[in-house]
Amino acid sequence: MRRVGGARRGLDMWLVQRASALYMLLFLPVFLARAWLAGPLDYLVWRGLFEPVAVKVAVLLFVAALLAHAWIGLREILIDYLHALVPRLALYFLFATLYLGCLAWSVDILWGVRP
Amino acid sequence: MRFRIHRYDPESGAAPSLRDYELDFDPKGRKVLDALIAIKDTLDESLAFRRSCREGVCGSDGVNVNGRNVLACVTPLEGLKEPIVIRPLPRLGVVRDLIVDMAQFYQHYRAVKPYLINLDPEPESERPQSPEERAELDGLWECILCGCCTTSCPSFWWNPDRFLGPAALLQGYRFIADTRDQATDERLDFLEDPYRLFRCHGIMNCVEVCPKGLNPTAAIGKIKSLLVKRAL
C-alpha cells in the first residue's frame, strides 16, 4: 500500500510553534522586569507577584505555551528519528500524559496562591 | 597529491572501502574532476564516476569531498587538505564507486510537477510576463539538479522517502511563483502535510553547499508564508 501523509497537519503545528514562541518571548521580559521592580525578592514578595488573577492567567498561558512548544518539538524529533509505530505511539502517550499533568499541576499551584 | 577514494563494486562481492592513490599532479588552477580523470587514466581505469560538461552546468558530478558536497568539476584542488577524501553523495544508494542511484531524488522532483500547468487555450505566440514577474523566478530556475543540497540535508537523511528535499522544494516554488501557472492551490495542497515540506527545520545546509549559490531555505520559507496566507 502507498504511504500517504496526513494532510493539513504540518502547517497548524508550525504555526502553533511560532505563536507559542512569540508569547513566551513577550511574557518573559515583562514578568522578569516586574519581579525585578518588586524589590529584593524574598518568599513573600515572590508569592505576592502571583496574587492578581491577571498574573495567574498570564503565567498559566505561559505554561501552556511552553508545553505546546515542547510537544511540537518532541513530535518533530520523533517524526525524524523514531519511525517504528509502537514506540512512537507509546512515547506520544507518555509525554501527552506528562505534559497534561504538568498543566493541571500548574493550575493547582497558581490558584493555591491566596492573599 | 594523495587521494582517498570510495570504491565499491557490487559484482565483486567485496564490502565498500576507501582506497589510497598517490598522484603526481600540479594542483594549480585544476579541479577535483581533473584529478579523478587523471587517476582513471593513469592509475586505475576501473574507477567509476559520472561527469559530462565539466563546467558546472550539467550537475552530474556531485560528490562528497573532505566531508562537503560539491561539484567535482568546479572545486579547486588548491586549498584542499590531503589526503583528499572523495566519497559518493550521502544517503543515496551507491551503484558503483562514486556513482549514486538518483531515483529517489528524481521521484521527489517529479512529485512537485516541475512544469507549467495552465488550462487556458494555447496562445498564438507566447504567455507574456512583466519584467517584475519574471524577476520572481531568478534564483529558482538556475538549479541544475545535482543533488548536493538534498543529500546534505539531515531531514532527507532521516526521511528520504517522504521529505521532498531542498532541490524538489525549490523547483516546486519555481512553479508556484510563476504567474503563468494556474495550479498554485493544488501545489500548496500537496505540500501541506507533516513530511513533504515541514520536515525542513531551516538549518540551511542546502544553502551552504549549493554550487550555484541558490537559497532553497528562502524558497521553502516563501512557500510557508503562502500556506499561512492561504489558511488565514
Side-chain angles (χ1 to χ4, degrees):
Chain A
M1 199 166 91
R2 281 194 68 191
R3 285 209 278 169
V4 289
R8 309 224 167 234
R9 295 291 306 285
L11 182 66
D12 294 350
M13 291 289 174
W14 187 76
L15 271 178
V16 171
Q17 194 180 33
R18 261 66 195 163
S20 57
L22 187 70
Y23 182 76
M24 289 190 279
L25 195 71
L26 295 174
F27 171 86
L28 268 180
V30 174
F31 182 79
L32 291 176
R34 205 166 163 278
W36 189 66
L37 288 175
L41 278 181
D42 54 23
Y43 174 70
L44 283 177
V45 176
W46 176 251
R47 202 186 142 88
L49 283 179
F50 294 90
E51 273 174 17
V53 178
V55 177
K56 289 191 209 291
V57 172
V59 175
L60 186 64
L61 280 178
F62 172 77
V63 174
L66 182 70
L67 291 174
H69 200 81
W71 169 256
I72 293 165
L74 180 87
R75 181 176 168 273
E76 300 282 294
I77 293 170
L78 294 184
I79 289 179
D80 278 350
Y81 300 110
L82 191 66
H83 292 185
L85 184 68
V86 172
R88 191 194 275 185
L89 218 50
L91 281 176
Y92 273 162
F93 181 77
L94 181 74
F95 276 93
T97 313
L98 190 72
Y99 287 1
L100 285 174
C102 285
L103 192 66
W105 191 19
S106 307
V107 174
D108 181 52
I109 293 169
L110 284 168
W111 267 265
V113 176
R114 294 212 178 77
Chain B
M1 300 191 78
R2 288 178 300 128
F3 293 86
R4 187 166 287 168
I5 299 178
H6 178 271
R7 301 303 309 269
Y8 173 58
D9 178 5
E11 285 164 21
S12 76
S17 62
L18 292 172
R19 198 177 300 169
D20 287 306
Y21 296 94
E22 187 98 34
L23 183 70
D24 190 18
F25 203 64
D26 178 15
K28 208 168 180 319
R30 286 164 136 165
K31 312 292 185 190
V32 173
L33 183 62
D34 296 321
L36 283 174
I37 291 171
I39 290 170
K40 191 175 172 72
D41 281 350
T42 61
L43 298 177
D44 188 346
E45 63 177 11
S46 70
L47 178 63
F49 51 88
R50 287 197 184 104
R51 83 279 176 277
S52 180
C53 75
R54 52 111 188 86
E55 56 183 5
V57 174
C58 72
S60 57
D61 65 346
V63 286
N64 185 283
V65 176
N66 285 355
R68 187 185 158 85
N69 290 353
V70 298
L71 287 182
C73 55
V74 294
T75 304
L77 280 170
E78 283 173 289
L80 288 179
K81 192 172 161 280
E82 290 186 49
I84 298 168
V85 183
I86 306 177
R87 297 170 188 266
L89 291 177
R91 196 56 176 91
L92 300 174
V94 176
V95 177
R96 188 182 162 140
D97 295 346
L98 300 175
I99 297 176
V100 288
D101 179 2
M102 302 280 281
Q104 180 74 75
F105 180 83
Y106 291 134
Q107 192 188 330
H108 289 323
Y109 178 55
R110 278 198 301 276
V112 299
K113 300 197 173 143
Y115 41 83
L116 275 186
I117 297 174
N118 188 321
L119 300 178
D120 288 344
E122 210 152 311
E124 285 287 325
S125 53
E126 59 195 2
R127 300 183 199 275
Q129 279 189 303
S130 71
E132 295 77 39
E133 289 168 347
R134 170 61 187 78
E136 282 292 308
L137 308 182
D138 284 334
L140 304 171
W141 64 267
E142 296 94 329
C143 173
I144 55 173
L145 297 172
C146 61
C148 286
C149 59
T150 295
T151 57
S152 72
C153 175
S155 290
F156 178 75
W157 298 343
W158 315 143
N159 287 291
D161 51 341
R162 302 216 247 179
F163 174 55
L164 295 179
L169 289 168
L170 183 92
Q171 287 300 314
Y173 183 64
R174 183 245 171 275
F175 289 94
I176 289 171
D178 196 313
T179 49
R180 298 163 294 180
D181 189 89
Q182 296 176 333
T184 315
D185 228 22
E186 291 87 322
R187 293 181 191 278
L188 291 178
D189 277 343
F190 178 69
L191 296 173
E192 194 174 344
D193 92 323
Y195 283 94
R196 294 183 186 122
L197 173 95
F198 281 101
R199 280 308 83 219
C200 170
H201 304 313
I203 64 161
M204 301 179 88
N205 269 17
C206 49
V207 184
E208 168 78 15
V209 298
C210 177
K212 307 301 279 185
L214 307 180
N215 191 336
T217 308
I220 292 168
K222 284 178 181 167
I223 298 175
K224 282 177 181 165
S225 307
L226 287 173
L227 285 170
V228 172
K229 264 188 213 155
R230 191 177 73 148
L232 298 180

